[in-house]
Amino acid sequence: MAILRTENLRKYYGSEDTCVKALDGVDLTVEEGEFVAVVGTSGSGKSTLLHMIGGLDRPTGGTVTVAGKDIFSLKDDALTVFRRRKIGFVFQSYNLIPVLNVRENILLPIELDGGKADPEYIDRITGTLGLAEKMDRLPGQLSGGQQQRVAIARALASKPAIILADEPTGNLDSKTSADVLGLLKVTSEKFRQTMVMITHNEEIAQLADRIIRIEDGRIAGGRHVQGE
């Protein structure tokens, strides 16, 4: 089943002679449980694509369907609620709340939505990510790699339809990056979590099930990684 679908997705800035086509007719389908890497150079449109898929910015034209819902048919308030419930985000900057401990950071989006966490599921996530012994620590007491693990746990906690990861290891050294990426792969498989990762790094992209290349705001090709 397709969890994500974009059709003729466009994002233009400016007009006529000054028009910049950040996205120019992107058609993309991601199946449930799939781990997809979107690869492109700086300015290719990959981050704009992620912002559109995540409902963080509205397109010039086209549609984005997540878990069967045309997200841009929703008004802003309803889109915010949908995003909180159905889309998890992992950014390179972690975005943790400094005065909240690890457990509180992980549970925050669920509590903001008035929901209740599944304790057993949270224990499985934090155990998989090596956070079980660090739940009472503040972000400032953790390394960069550990903070990114907390961000991954937070994204997983609400059991979203899809997780979007934007250059998730951009602030980490190579060894820590490899550890975090390995955990992203493991969590994707273990929890059958659909994941789309934006990266400029070809080596990182090899961890995904499928690589999609974007150039000048258009899909320039794609291939499956497994079995090669």
Side-chain angles (χ1 to χ4, degrees), residues 70-122:
D70 176 357
I71 66 173
F72 295 116
S73 69
L74 300 171
K75 293 184 177 179
D76 288 348
D77 288 349
L79 177 56
T80 298
V81 172
F82 182 88
R83 191 168 56 228
R84 193 162 57 220
R85 293 177 179 174
K86 295 294 186 180
I87 304 173
F89 294 93
V90 180
F91 297 107
Q92 60 176 296
S93 55
Y94 320 138
N95 292 344
L96 303 180
I97 308 298
V99 296
L100 300 183
N101 66 26
V102 168
R103 183 183 303 279
E104 291 165 340
N105 266 287
I106 291 170
L107 298 180
L108 183 62
I110 297 173
E111 292 174 348
L112 285 173
D113 196 43
K116 289 189 176 180
D118 177 344
E120 184 180 341
Y121 182 66
I122 298 299

Side-chain angles (χ1 to χ4, degrees), residues 91-94 148 166-173 177 200 204:
F91 297 107
Q92 60 176 296
S93 55
Y94 320 138
Q148 192 59 295
D166 189 2
E167 301 279 7
T169 61
N171 288 337
L172 304 175
D173 62 52
S177 294
H200 66 278
I204 286 173

Side-chain angles (χ1 to χ4, degrees), residues 1-5 28-37 50 53 65-67 86-90 121 152 155-156 159-165 184-197 208-210 212:
M1 185 180 82
I3 286 293
L4 167 70
R5 190 185 306 276
L28 173 65
T29 301
V30 177
E31 300 294 325
E32 183 177 7
E34 197 176 14
F35 185 2
V36 174
L50 181 133
I53 292 171
T65 304
V66 177
K86 295 294 186 180
I87 304 173
F89 294 93
V90 180
Y121 182 66
I152 294 168
L156 284 163
K159 302 180 182 178
I162 190 168
I163 285 180
L164 305 178
L184 271 177
K185 177 74 170 175
V186 166
T187 52
S188 173
E189 293 174 347
K190 186 171 183 177
F191 302 108
R192 193 159 171 70
Q193 176 64 63
T194 310
M195 199 170 297
V196 175
M197 177 177 66
D209 303 323
R210 180 161 57 108
I212 294 169

Side-chain angles (χ1 to χ4, degrees), residues 9-78:
L9 189 61
R10 305 182 305 282
K11 183 63 175 180
Y12 299 166
Y13 297 97
S15 59
E16 297 181 0
D17 293 345
T18 61
C19 181
V20 175
K21 297 181 178 181
L23 293 178
D24 191 22
V26 172
D27 295 322
L28 173 65
T29 301
V30 177
E31 300 294 325
E32 183 177 7
E34 197 176 14
F35 185 2
V36 174
V38 178
V39 179
T41 58
S42 178
S44 61
K46 62 185 187 299
S47 289
T48 303
L49 176 61
L50 181 133
H51 289 165
M52 296 296 137
I53 292 171
L56 298 173
D57 192 9
R58 290 186 179 267
T60 303
T63 60
V64 174
T65 304
V66 177
K69 187 71 177 180
D70 176 357
I71 66 173
F72 295 116
S73 69
L74 300 171
K75 293 184 177 179
D76 288 348
D77 288 349

